[in-house]
Amino acid sequence: MTDQAEQAQQTWDAVDAYFSEQLIGRDPVLEAAAAAADEAGLPHIAVAPNQGKLLHLLALTQGARRILEVGTLGGYSAIWLARALPADGTLITLELDPKHAAVARANLDRAGLGRVAEVRTGRAADSLAALVADGVEPFDLVFIDADKPSNPAYFARALELTRPGSLIVVDNVVRGGAIADAASTDPAITATRRLHELIAAEPRVSATSVQTVGAKGYDGFTLARVRA
Ligand code: SAH
Ligand code: DHB
Ligand code: MG
């Protein structure tokens, strides 16, 4: 990083720390989940606390009873999402790596969410196809946060698994600004650009994408509401 970029990142870190301190505070369950993921050697790519709380608030706003997550890691975002569910609610979260899934299950159990949250191991594309084939009840919120080259495929599946009024959230759609580079050959970028083309041509959703800065650098997310 250049000096300037480093300085900007320091400011973003300080602001995120300030917001988290004021609006989230100590949360031993989430801190334990993050520590367990760390100890297991999982990558540091979970959502930041204030982003996790945004997901939580979106789920509450949706009155969500059923939530689907693509990309579990250690279950950090899953805890935030599942905490918005009623006691008889359901979160299904999809994870390829059995080690990540095991850490997530332990974290969700420790958070008292083992009864509402289910971690399904395997390629998300296969797990999503199985959910469609099973004709499961629609999800009220879908959070897509796994392998970025699959974003278009996951979004298409999310549309099959939702209802009018459902919300689809896609993480990491900006990637330091690379999303605006039409010449990019990075599969994460080309796929996320394709995702935007897909959404633009999709009459079934109304969507926006927002840039963010913070502890996780310069990135952003897409919100797509399935039209009534
Ligand atoms: N949502 C998490 C972070 C997820 S990181 C949080 O914020 O706490 C992305 C996760 O997607 C990783 O755990 C990775 O193993 C998983 N993943 C990558 N490719 C996948 C695939 N094809 N199917 C399912 N999960 C996948
Ligand atoms: C990466 C993945 C994420 O979900 C994220 O929030 C940040 C980074 C990654 O694969 O680099
Ligand atoms: Mg992410």
Side-chain angles (χ1 to χ4, degrees):
M1 267 198 274
T2 64
D3 280 1
Q4 206 175 17
E6 221 158 284
Q7 207 169 14
Q9 185 60 56
Q10 272 180 26
T11 306
W12 302 341
D13 286 345
V15 172
D16 261 6
Y18 171 72
F19 286 151
S20 291
E21 192 183 319
Q22 289 299 321
L23 304 177
I24 298 170
R26 296 293 316 277
D27 190 320
V29 166
L30 283 169
E31 285 163 25
D38 204 29
E39 258 160 55
L42 271 50
H44 292 144
I45 55 176
V47 294
N50 50 349
Q51 295 173 331
K53 190 158 182 187
L54 172 63
L55 293 172
H56 176 76
L57 294 173
L58 289 171
L60 286 176
T61 302
Q62 280 299 101
R65 306 184 67 83
R66 290 176 56 80
I67 298 174
L68 175 64
E69 178 179 68
V70 186
T72 314
L73 194 64
Y76 186 82
S77 54
I79 291 174
W80 274 114
L81 286 164
R83 278 178 171 178
L85 289 169
D88 62 345
T90 301
L91 175 134
I92 296 176
T93 179
L94 311 179
E95 174 56 52
L96 176 63
D97 188 324
K99 182 176 137 185
H100 296 186
V103 172
R105 285 190 194 101
N107 279 338
L108 286 158
D109 282 343
R110 197 153 357 93
L113 297 164
R115 285 186 48 192
V116 290
E118 183 195 339
V119 184
R120 293 197 182 173
T121 311
R123 293 175 56 225
D126 297 337
S127 302
L128 290 165
L131 286 167
V132 171
D134 288 349
V136 297
E137 265 178 70
F139 294 93
D140 308 302
L141 188 155
V142 181
F143 178 47
I144 298 175
D145 189 22
D147 50 316
K148 312 309 172 188
S150 300
N151 275 343
Y154 295 159
F155 189 83
R157 284 303 191 189
L159 276 178
E160 294 182 78
L161 289 163
T162 46
R163 51 153 180 93
S166 294
L167 185 68
I168 302 168
V169 182
V170 187
D171 196 23
N172 311 119
V173 300
V174 174
R175 294 290 190 138
I179 189 68
D181 178 6
S184 175
T185 55
D186 175 350
I189 298 306
T190 56
T192 304
R193 287 178 64 86
R194 247 188 309 120
L195 169 71
H196 279 79
E197 285 155 28
L198 207 112
I199 292 174
E202 178 52 72
R204 284 176 291 176
V205 299
S206 175
T208 190
S209 292
V210 173
Q211 310 181 61
T212 58
V213 296
K216 298 213 51 197
Y218 170 33
D219 214 325
F221 56 85
T222 298
L223 292 183
R225 184 177 199 269
V226 181
R227 281 188 208 277

